[in-house]
């Protein structure tokens, strides 16, 4: 994927989780009964990795749309909009896994926004030198911050996903 010096990696990790090939090995076995995510707990990447069946009809459409945008190198924000409990957070985690580990796209899963996220995205852009994915879920990042991330004219990120 992308070589990230330790100083940059630490700064990026303050904003979220940069998925790397090393993460795939650490996903191993899910830490809970997979059916638990159906009762209000977001799916974990380890559960996607283990093949827990979560895919819904629109997931492949989202993935296809993002693949096209990545190939065209368009700066783009894609929103996954749904009612609470309807699966948007699950879609975001599934997409993060697929894009990071199947498509080999640099993928940052945000846990915060504001200047910390902007700095992380700027660093990742500088290091990647190509299109990359930023996943931002309102369960982790406040909605107002999502709006500022998606609408920032100075943000040079190719994908921002929000539920």
């Amino acid at each position: 994927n992308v070589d990230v010096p330790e100083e940059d990696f630490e700064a990026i990790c303050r904003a979220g989780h940069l998925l790397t090939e090393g993460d795939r090995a650490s996903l191993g076995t899910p830490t809970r009964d997979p059916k638990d995510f159906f009762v209000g707990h977001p799916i974990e990447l380890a559960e996607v990795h283990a093949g827990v069946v979560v895919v819904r009809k629109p997931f492949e459409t989202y993935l296809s749309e993002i693949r096209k945008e990545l190939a065209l190198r368009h700066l783009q924000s894609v929103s996954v909009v749904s009612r609470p409990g309807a699966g948007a957070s699950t879609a975001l985690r599934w997409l993060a896994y697929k894009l990071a580990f199947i498509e080999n796209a640099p993928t940052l899963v945000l846990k915060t926004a504001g200047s910390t996220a902007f700095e992380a995205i700027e660093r990742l852009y500088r290091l990647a030198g190509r299109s990359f994915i930023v996943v931002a879920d309102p369960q982790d990042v406040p909605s107002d911050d999502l709006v500022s991330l998606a609408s920032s004219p100075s943000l040079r990120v190719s994908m921002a996903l929000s539920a």
Side-chain angles (χ1 to χ4, degrees):
N1 274 349
V2 177
D3 285 330
V4 181
E6 188 170 336
E7 177 185 329
D8 289 311
F9 188 76
E10 288 174 5
I12 290 168
C13 287
R14 283 192 290 274
H17 187 149
L18 179 61
L19 300 178
T20 65
E21 191 57 38
D23 289 324
R24 187 195 305 238
S26 71
L27 293 176
T29 307
T31 59
R32 64 180 178 185
D33 186 332
K35 67 180 173 246
D36 285 346
F37 89 88
F38 284 111
V39 289
H41 303 286
I43 191 152
E44 298 170 358
L45 292 176
E47 292 165 336
V48 176
H49 180 71
V52 172
V53 179
V54 297
V55 179
R56 295 181 177 102
K57 190 174 182 177
F59 289 16
E60 290 292 339
T61 303
Y62 298 143
L63 184 59
S64 176
E65 181 180 333
I66 293 167
R67 279 185 184 133
K68 280 191 285 187
E69 295 298 334
L70 284 171
L72 295 172
R73 298 177 184 254
H74 288 166
L75 296 177
Q76 184 70 34
S77 175
V78 177
S79 293
V80 177
V81 181
S82 72
R83 296 177 316 278
S89 292
T90 299
L92 291 176
R93 285 168 178 79
W94 182 85
L95 286 165
Y97 179 88
K98 294 293 184 181
L99 291 162
F101 301 124
I102 307 302
E103 302 295 322
N104 295 315
T107 303
L108 173 62
V109 180
L110 290 179
K111 63 181 178 189
T112 189
S115 60
T116 304
F118 280 102
E119 178 187 356
I121 291 166
E122 291 285 335
R123 284 178 186 252
L124 185 55
Y125 179 79
R126 182 177 39 81
L127 294 165
R130 64 185 178 106
S131 297
F132 62 94
I133 307 299
V134 176
V135 177
D137 185 338
Q139 288 190 22
D140 305 318
V141 180
S143 296
D144 290 348
D145 289 339
L146 291 176
V147 171
S148 67
L149 280 172
S151 63
S152 173
S154 65
L155 191 62
R156 296 176 290 181
V157 61
S158 56
M159 286 296 152
L161 302 175
S162 60

